[in-house]
């Protein structure tokens, strides 16, 4: 058998370097996605505003009504908070698995499992962000056909913080899209390297 190490060693080194670079890129994206999803969750969960309105006047005495806008008054915002919370937990767990994964034996299921979970969380954060965006648009502009009044002219701070949560969530959505792509790419790289390892045995000359 001919010695083919001179040709295949640079390719092997390039593959290892590409794999390490992809791993650290993925870790950085996961950290950013975790921060974005966690920020979206906290902004929405802590979002609350109380205002007092004059609803009537009896003589010279005003009749006041105090109202509080909270995120859990809207089911779409509750789903938004849960979805982003789960996505932030997912990315934190994936970061820990990547840093400590060498201590465990996944028997070849690591990469397909991670790619599947990434796609699941991508769908989750997409659903939460779009549901909340629909309700936010309704709160800002109302719906004259359904006779739903807008509330953002009365609860401005509440809507501003909700908009910040939406921006953070859509940022997490974009990052999860990139993460899902890289997870699938890593899965294919691992499969191709394991397949080529059986065909690229270096034989020493006699």
């Amino acid at each position: 058998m001919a010695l083919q190490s001179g040709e295949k060693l640079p390719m092997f080194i390039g593959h290892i370097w590409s794999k390490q670079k992809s791993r650290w890129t993925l870790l950085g994206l996961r950290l950013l996605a975790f921060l974005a999803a966690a920020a979206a969750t906290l902004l929405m969960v802590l979002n609350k505003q109380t205002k007092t309105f004059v609803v009537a006047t009896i003589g010279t005495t005003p009749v006041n009504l105090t109202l509080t806008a909270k995120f859990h008054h809207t089911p779409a915002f509750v789903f938004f908070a849960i979805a982003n919370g789960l996505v932030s937990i997912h990315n934190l767990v994936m970061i820990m698995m990547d840093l400590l994964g060498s201590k465990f034996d996944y028997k070849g299921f690591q990469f397909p499992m991670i790619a599947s979970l990434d796609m699941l969380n991508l769908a989750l954060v997409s659903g939460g962000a779009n549901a909340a965006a629909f309700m936010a648009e309704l709160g800002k502009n109302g719906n004259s056909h359904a006779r739903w009044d807008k509330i953002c002219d009365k609860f401005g701070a509440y809507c501003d913080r909700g908009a910040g949560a939406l921006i953070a969530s859509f940022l997490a959505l974009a990052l999860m899209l990139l993460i899902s792509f890289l997870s699938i790419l890593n899965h294919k790289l691992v499969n191709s390297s394991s397949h080529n390892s059986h065909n690229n045995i270096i034989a020493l000359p006699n």
Side-chain angles (χ1 to χ4, degrees):
M1 297 177 66
L3 180 64
Q4 299 178 355
S5 61
E7 297 177 1
K8 298 184 177 183
L9 186 59
M11 294 176 60
F12 177 75
I13 294 174
H15 173 73
I16 294 297
W17 171 252
S18 176
K19 186 177 178 182
Q20 284 295 104
K21 189 176 180 181
S22 175
R23 179 198 172 201
W24 288 109
T25 300
L26 193 58
L27 272 176
L29 289 173
R30 286 198 186 280
L31 180 60
L32 291 175
F34 163 73
L35 293 174
T41 304
L42 290 175
L43 280 171
M44 186 59 74
V45 169
L46 300 177
N47 195 11
K48 180 176 70 172
Q49 184 181 5
T50 301
K51 291 194 72 173
T52 300
F53 304 94
V54 177
V55 295
T57 302
I58 301 177
T60 58
T61 304
V63 178
N64 297 326
L65 176 66
T66 300
L67 297 176
T68 301
K70 297 180 180 180
F71 87 100
H72 59 75
H73 293 161
T74 305
F77 292 160
V78 175
F79 173 56
F80 173 90
I82 293 173
N84 282 275
L86 290 175
V87 170
S88 63
I89 292 172
H90 163 75
N91 281 289
L92 183 60
V93 171
M94 292 299 105
I95 290 171
M96 298 304 296
M97 282 181 60
D98 192 274
L99 296 176
L100 305 175
S102 59
K103 298 182 180 181
F104 303 96
D105 182 16
Y106 299 99
K107 299 185 184 300
F109 291 104
Q110 179 182 6
F111 288 101
M113 177 185 68
I114 290 175
S116 300
L117 288 174
D118 284 336
M119 294 181 66
L120 176 64
N121 279 269
L122 171 63
L124 188 62
V125 72
S126 176
N130 283 285
F134 170 78
M135 293 306 299
E137 195 278 335
L138 189 62
K140 181 180 180 181
N141 299 315
N143 189 321
S144 58
H145 301 289
R147 299 183 183 278
W148 290 339
D149 294 331
K150 57 185 177 181
I151 67 166
C152 286
D153 57 335
K154 303 176 182 66
F155 294 92
Y158 175 81
C159 289
D160 289 342
R161 287 189 289 267
L166 275 172
I167 292 172
S169 183
F170 276 107
L171 177 59
L173 173 60
L175 290 167
M176 285 304 302
L177 187 61
L178 289 174
I179 288 168
S180 295
F181 172 75
L182 287 178
S183 292
I184 295 171
L185 184 62
N186 279 347
H187 177 46
K188 289 185 177 295
L189 285 175
V190 169
N191 282 345
S192 63
S193 64
S194 61
H195 175 72
N196 291 334
S197 64
H198 296 288
N199 302 324
N200 296 337
I201 300 175
I202 299 174
L204 293 176
N206 293 327

